[in-house]
Amino acid sequence: MNDDIKQGFEVKPLLEVRDLTKYFDVSKPWLTRILEKQPKQILKAVDGLSFEIGKGETFSLVGESGCGKSTIAKLVVGLQRPSNGEILFDGQDLNKAITSKDSNRIRRRWQMIFQDPFASLNPRWRVNDIISEPIRVFKLAKSKSEINDRVDKLLTQVGLSPADGNKFPHEFSGGQRQRISIARALSSEPEFLVCDEPTSALDVSVQAQILNLMKDLQRRLGLTYLFISHNLAVVYHVSDRIGVMYLGRLCEVATASDLFKNPQHPYTQLLLNTIPDMEMTGIKRDPVHGEVPNPIDPPSGCAFHPRCPLANDRCRKETPQLQKNAGSLIACHAVEEKRNV
Amino acid sequence: MSLLEVKNLRVEFPTRRGTLLAIDDISFSIEPGEVLGVVGESGAGKSLTGASIIGLLEPPGRIADGKITLEGERIDDLPYEKMRHVRGKKIGAIFQDPLTSLNPLYTVSKQLTETILVHMDMSQEQARKRAVELLDEVGIPAAETRIDSYPHEFSGGMRQRVVIALALCANPKLIVADEPTTALDVSIQAQIIAIIKRLCKEHKTAVMLITHDMGVIAETADRVAVMYAGRIVEIGEVRDIIKDAKHPYTKGLMGSIPVVGHDVEVLQQIDGSMPRLNEVPKGCAFNSRCPDAINKCFVDRPDLMQTDGLSTAACWLYSKEAVNE
Ligand SMILES: Nc1ncnc2c1ncn2[C@@H]1O[C@H](COP(=O)(O)OP(=O)(O)OP(=O)(O)O)[C@@H](O)[C@H]1O
Ligand SMILES: Nc1ncnc2c1ncn2[C@@H]1O[C@H](COP(=O)(O)OP(=O)(O)OP(=O)(O)O)[C@@H](O)[C@H]1O
Ligand code: SF4
Ligand code: SF4
Ligand SMILES: [Mg+2]
Ligand SMILES: [Mg+2]
């Protein structure tokens, strides 16, 4: 990774991602392919992506459905192996560390919270057992009573009561279930939480409770978050820095306030235009025109060029790389050539 | 005369442990060309209200009381076949997941023309022509050629547009749209909303738009009904509900929405959660979470009343007698 891409951290980054790629083979079965004379089809879900997240920071990823956000989430917690590139967690190569003998020592340091609190909790387990599972798996407590104490504390920490531990998930509302998954994620005392659409399945009023809880925990426990959401107002509220993705690549990385005040990449500008206007000032939203491109056969050069008002010949041929621009990182020829103003 | 009138609707579910009242005496109306937004907590009864109107309430759920009229004619007690005709001809439905409304085995063309032929007196050729026009209208590029595709050959946003086209086949007077954009991307969401708005303007189609996305409501709805625990707790013009909510639940709801450009460390939140149907307390259903509750709130249930603003709300704070009690 070239040094241009580092955004000048004062603190050591907790997570460093370098030239990360994840390809999926989505070819038809071998025989069909031969009969229909079709080539192998490779989907580049994540295509050479680099970013870092500082300790205690909230870094968010935004972008259209299918741009690769969840794939990155799964890669950085080791649920999927990258096709290429490196993930360093606190300086250690993540994929080496999780296959090593004492992998438990490092694996307990991160956890993931998923979108759907209904699907991610085992319906036949009592809440106590759900929350204590990581404690038992990683052998973090010496006795039954120590486990119970920790579960009680976790339940209280997420705004439930110790008595709730004896209940089953179906006895809780959606927001309460998401609290249970947060308590479970916190039980191994992780430093890093990957949250993939943690409030998308919830009501706005419940969403506020969960976002407040997450921020409060971050303050008290010094947590680092990788946060994924398609709700831009939520992202604005929680993030320190934001990465905007398009078709497996980052097109802009900036602080939350820079990104929303002064979006520079043409795609970011269009994306921000789609935020529903709560102030009802009568300004018409301009929907992003054109269809989301086919990820198996992405447009040449800058993948955004078929939908970009500033596209020219160079854009159709040459893929733009992330470059420093007024404190942000932008991958766009027009911005580089200053013809975006 | 309003296009749609819902009067004192009650929907219940008989269960082994007694009857659950899921919709508890709600009344509202929709005018031609109007978009009524319906918002509220998950489980508040938004979908059940929509399902009651389009006659797709799933048993054991049943309308226990009340009356629904469309253009002055009662539709809540029609036999199944008659209601099915009303549903295609006068009321269109759009659901969250476009795949539930589309048959994966048939081309888009077949599904559209069949629906058109059932409801309109047309030849096969005319029906196909109309189908192409509809796809055009909802913004499917190259409709003439795309029409012969199967649903899975379309992206999510395009499928939802096909569902809208399907709902429009017979020029309905009313569209009931239950979370039509929730499963879609923000950018495609904006396109769908633009289509819905244009339809209301050009065809005077009325829309009942159920969603918990207040941003969508702000941009699309003329009036908004806020539901909580099976009741409408506030109803009024969209501007008044968003800028000057009167019911404590609506106020809490509006305050809890993050807004780009508003820097707050902690979002306003309503503590607790909505009571389950079998645990709705006596008095106002919101009383255990309400920061402003007064004595009467724990005894009697408030009905919608005029507030000191422009909306109507079901809250004792707007009754002089109750406040002075
Ligand atoms: N296991 C897999 N096999 C094949 N393709 C996959 C697989 N997982 C993801 N993909 C593809 O990779 C791309 C990125 O998917 P991903 O789930 O990361 O997107 P996303 O940004 O999280 O989208 P969303 O906002 O819809 O959740 C998509 O085109 C998806 O279809
Ligand atoms: N078959 C059923 N048996 C018992 N109760 C039911 C049944 N179907 C729905 N309900 C209850 O009726 C209430 C209203 O449900 P409804 O689906 O209308 O809510 P909603 O406002 O649309 O919520 P959401 O935002 O989650 O879609 C809920 O409390 C639900 O639990
Ligand atoms: S590189 Fe070209 S096509 Fe891509 S965003 Fe910039 S101007 Fe548009
Ligand atoms: S009636 Fe009472 S409890 Fe209900 S919202 Fe009004 S003040 Fe609160
Ligand atoms: Mg995802
Ligand atoms: Mg619903």
Side-chain angles (χ1 to χ4, degrees), chain B residues 247-248 284 286-287 290 292-294 297 302 314-317:
Chain B
H247 193 282
C284 172
F286 190 58
N287 61 20
C290 182
D292 306 317
I294 52 178
C297 306
C315 173
W316 289 125
L317 295 178

Side-chain angles (χ1 to χ4, degrees), chain A residues 252-311:
Chain A
E252 179 158 1
V253 181
T255 63
S257 61
D258 281 352
L259 191 89
F260 281 89
K261 270 199 207 105
N262 182 23
Q264 298 190 61
H265 194 282
Y267 173 63
T268 314
Q269 292 173 345
L270 282 180
L271 190 68
L272 296 192
N273 243 324
T274 62
I275 300 176
D277 179 15
M278 287 291 292
E279 298 297 323
M280 294 185 297
T281 47
I283 300 168
K284 269 233 185 92
R285 276 205 279 172
D286 187 15
V288 180
H289 294 287
E291 282 296 320
V292 184
N294 177 358
I296 300 169
D297 182 21
S300 61
C302 172
F304 186 57
H305 83 246
R307 297 161 85 183
C308 180
L310 297 176

Side-chain angles (χ1 to χ4, degrees), chain A residues 167-181:
Chain A
K167 298 184 186 158
F168 289 97
H170 74 259
E171 299 177 63
F172 294 89
S173 70
Q176 289 168 326
R177 276 182 244 206
Q178 198 58 298
R179 286 172 194 265
I180 296 170
S181 17

Side-chain angles (χ1 to χ4, degrees), chain A residues 69-70 196-197 228:
Chain A
K69 304 180 294 293
S70 298
D196 190 358
E197 311 261 9
I228 293 170

